[in-house]
Amino acid sequence: MKYIIRSVKYFFYLAFMLVIFIFVLSMLGLVGSTPEDIFRDGTKSLWQIAGICAVFAMVYPRLAFGRRIAHVTGSYEELRQDVVEAMHNRGYILESEEGETMTFRLKSPVVRLFQMFEDRVTLTRTLAGFELEGQNKALVRVVSALEALDRR
């Protein structure tokens, strides 16, 4: 279900960005003001563009979100405060904690808005360290921060 919601969000995000882009080009006088002036096939092109946006929206969540393992040794109690501090330094705040699972979200509402509120990072304690789930670009940064805790 989460995948479908993300796909729909990204479809509307892409469509919105395209409308803004075309509006700005139209206001600058670089393109015409009607679909027939802007696109080769006129209004038929709008359906083709919507189809392309739908394909990208369906593929993007599969590529942009995932899971990673951060190899960190120590007990959960020993690591908890260091993990919260490391996440705080990366701009995250602790949203919830249930057992040995912590969920963080970004502090800045502006950054959260630009990421369409898909900014959660979930850390679950495993034997190898922590399993992280969230946006891949955020996970890479967080994994390196957590693994740096083990080197101290």
Side-chain angles (χ1 to χ4, degrees):
M1 187 66 174
K2 194 185 297 187
Y3 184 83
I4 293 169
I5 292 170
R6 284 180 179 154
S7 293
V8 170
K9 275 185 180 182
Y10 280 104
F11 174 78
F12 285 113
Y13 178 76
L14 288 171
F16 176 75
M17 293 305 289
L18 185 61
V19 167
I20 295 296
F21 184 70
I22 291 171
F23 177 75
V24 168
L25 289 176
S26 180
M27 289 291 109
L28 293 174
L30 299 173
V31 297
S33 58
T34 65
E36 285 74 23
D37 296 336
I38 298 171
F39 304 113
R40 183 183 328 175
D41 293 332
T43 54
K44 286 183 185 176
S45 296
L46 296 176
W47 293 110
Q48 295 167 350
I49 292 169
I52 291 170
C53 286
V55 169
F56 279 121
M58 286 187 293
V59 171
Y60 183 73
R62 178 73 63 203
L63 301 174
F65 294 89
R67 295 174 186 243
R68 300 253 200 269
I69 298 288
H71 298 282
V72 184
T73 57
S75 69
Y76 181 79
E77 293 77 24
E78 294 170 351
L79 294 171
R80 185 195 174 282
Q81 187 58 38
D82 291 336
V83 168
V84 171
E85 185 178 319
M87 293 298 285
H88 181 74
N89 292 339
R90 296 286 181 272
Y92 288 88
I93 58 172
L94 183 63
E95 183 179 46
S96 66
E97 184 173 10
E98 193 173 306
E100 292 188 350
T101 299
M102 295 182 278
T103 303
F104 294 88
R105 67 172 178 79
L106 287 170
K107 285 185 273 193
S108 170
V110 174
V111 177
R112 294 187 72 215
L113 177 65
F114 282 120
Q115 292 188 7
M116 294 183 300
F117 299 98
E118 293 288 345
D119 61 327
R120 280 187 179 73
V121 176
T122 303
L123 284 78
T124 304
R125 186 73 174 136
T126 63
L127 291 175
F130 285 98
E131 180 181 29
L132 289 82
E133 182 179 356
Q135 276 190 336
N136 285 329
K137 67 181 181 179
L139 295 184
V140 170
R141 295 181 194 122
V142 172
V143 166
S144 66
L146 294 178
E147 288 181 348
L149 294 174
D150 210 29
R151 288 182 236 131
R152 289 195 281 169

